[in-house]
Amino acid sequence: MRDFGLMVLGTFFFAFSVAIFAMPNSLAEGGIPGLSLLLYFGLGWSPALVTFLANGFILLIGYRYLPNAMIIKSIAAISLFSLFLFLMEDLGSAMGDPLLAALYAGVFTGIGFGFVFRSGSTIGGTSTIAKMLNYKFGWELTTVNFVLDALVVTGGVLVIGPILTLYTVVALFIGKRVTDYVLEGFESKKIVHIFSDYSESVARSIRGNLGAHTTILEGKNDENGKDENLIYVVIPKQQLFYLKKLVREVDDEAFTVVNTVKDVSGGSFAKAHYPTQKTFSSTKKEKQYYRKEAEG
């Protein structure tokens, strides 16, 4: 039931983006929705009808190559999207600023796709074609999907012109970023690599003060062959400055490298598993605590 609710929300937001921001402001999209918009701008055909018929034809061809569960979810998502789009086709009005329209279109498209993907479904279109070609010929999914979307967007130059096509690219880029945030969350995590001659003491301090799991990896300096130890640890973003303070207190010459990652699960991110690991009633209180520790 939760997945169906996400599917309904996702298809609504995507249809809202197309009808309210893309159609009245002459912006296109990628895939089948983009093709339907180009046909709307060029020939006046209904995007809702074109999307429904085109996706139905693609699913009719691909039913032999795709899992039944995926076919059923795709039929539901495509039908909902076409229905919402049909109901909202005449509600939008031009904003007068294509860049602002592209920003709004990207945000709502990203939210829509994020909810649809989280429900385990798709809107069909080029992603379905890519899956069929992958099954039949072994072609790489991401590349095929990108090429198909790029062909549609590039075709927009002939219909809406190069400037509005560029705004469409802006909307697609923003939509991709927003989709990533919906799928992965806004709160990034930090992977920290620490090179230190006092690796065991540094790791002990991190475990004792942050309750984070640490791993010490052994290696060699490729210049002189000297043995080196590398501490590997993943922490929430708000702990980073406090961790750096802990490292400096043990070894002020330690070499620290920080990378950002979004998808982290299990271990210390599932529950408090280490005796000294602190827990907080809210993220705000956690941020306040570690900011105070880093400054004090």
Side-chain angles (χ1 to χ4, degrees):
M1 193 64 185
R2 176 178 176 273
D3 287 345
F4 181 74
L6 288 174
M7 182 193 299
V8 173
L9 278 175
T11 52
F12 173 80
F13 278 119
F14 185 31
F16 180 81
S17 171
V18 172
I20 304 302
F21 299 111
M23 288 177 61
N25 293 284
S26 300
L27 298 175
E29 260 288 347
I32 297 301
L35 180 62
S36 70
L37 285 172
L38 295 181
L39 291 173
Y40 167 74
F41 298 139
L43 302 174
W45 293 2
S46 166
L49 182 60
V50 172
T51 300
F52 182 76
L53 292 177
N55 278 315
F57 179 71
I58 292 171
L59 288 178
L60 189 63
I61 297 175
Y63 79 95
R64 294 187 303 169
Y65 308 111
L66 302 174
N68 290 335
M70 180 182 174
I71 292 290
I72 294 172
K73 286 184 176 181
S74 295
I75 290 174
I78 291 166
S79 300
L80 284 169
F81 172 72
S82 299
L83 174 62
F84 288 139
L85 185 56
F86 175 76
L87 294 175
M88 293 186 286
E89 273 185 356
D90 299 322
L91 299 182
S93 58
M95 299 183 68
D97 186 344
L99 178 58
L100 187 61
L103 296 177
Y104 277 114
V107 169
F108 282 100
T109 295
I111 294 173
F113 270 113
F115 284 156
V116 169
F117 290 154
R118 293 194 71 163
S119 74
S121 182
T122 69
I123 302 292
T126 53
S127 60
T128 304
I129 297 174
K131 285 183 173 65
M132 289 191 294
L133 294 174
N134 173 262
Y135 179 89
K136 188 71 175 177
F137 303 108
W139 294 0
E140 204 271 325
L141 279 173
T142 305
T143 302
V144 174
N145 198 66
F146 174 79
V147 170
L148 292 174
D149 282 346
L151 288 174
V152 174
V153 174
T154 303
V157 175
L158 303 175
V159 180
I160 59 177
I163 295 178
L164 290 173
T165 299
L166 183 59
Y167 284 126
T168 297
V169 173
V170 172
L172 292 174
F173 175 79
I174 294 173
K176 173 64 170 60
R177 300 296 297 176
V178 173
T179 298
D180 289 342
Y181 282 124
V182 173
L183 292 175
E184 301 170 355
F186 288 89
E187 189 63 37
S188 63
K189 311 299 186 296
K190 299 295 182 180
I191 293 179
V192 185
H193 299 86
I194 306 162
F195 295 85
S196 173
D197 293 333
Y198 307 95
S199 55
E200 292 185 1
S201 298
V202 172
R204 191 181 306 115
S205 178
I206 293 173
R207 290 196 305 271
N209 289 281
L210 296 178
H213 177 79
T214 57
T215 300
I216 297 179
L217 306 175
E218 297 181 353
K220 286 185 177 293
N221 187 309
D222 63 356
E223 183 177 358
N224 54 31
K226 180 183 176 182
D227 290 338
E228 289 187 336
N229 289 327
L230 166 65
I231 303 170
Y232 179 95
V233 60
V234 182
I235 58 171
K237 180 175 62 177
Q238 58 266 24
Q239 294 182 357
L240 180 60
F241 290 108
Y242 186 35
L243 179 142
K244 290 182 177 180
K245 177 184 176 182
L246 295 174
V247 173
R248 288 194 301 270
E249 287 176 351
V250 178
D251 182 7
D252 58 3
E253 294 185 357
F255 178 61
T256 303
V257 180
V258 181
N259 294 306
T260 299
V261 62
K262 288 185 177 293
D263 191 4
V264 179
S265 60
S268 59
F269 292 93
K271 59 182 179 180
H273 71 287
Y274 196 80
T276 61
Q277 185 171 352
K278 297 182 180 297
T279 57
F280 302 86
S281 59
S282 68
T283 302
K284 181 179 179 181
K285 290 184 178 180
E286 182 179 5
K287 291 180 178 179
Q288 289 174 344
Y289 172 82
Y290 286 114
R291 187 183 301 115
K292 181 179 178 182
E293 290 295 315
E295 294 172 351

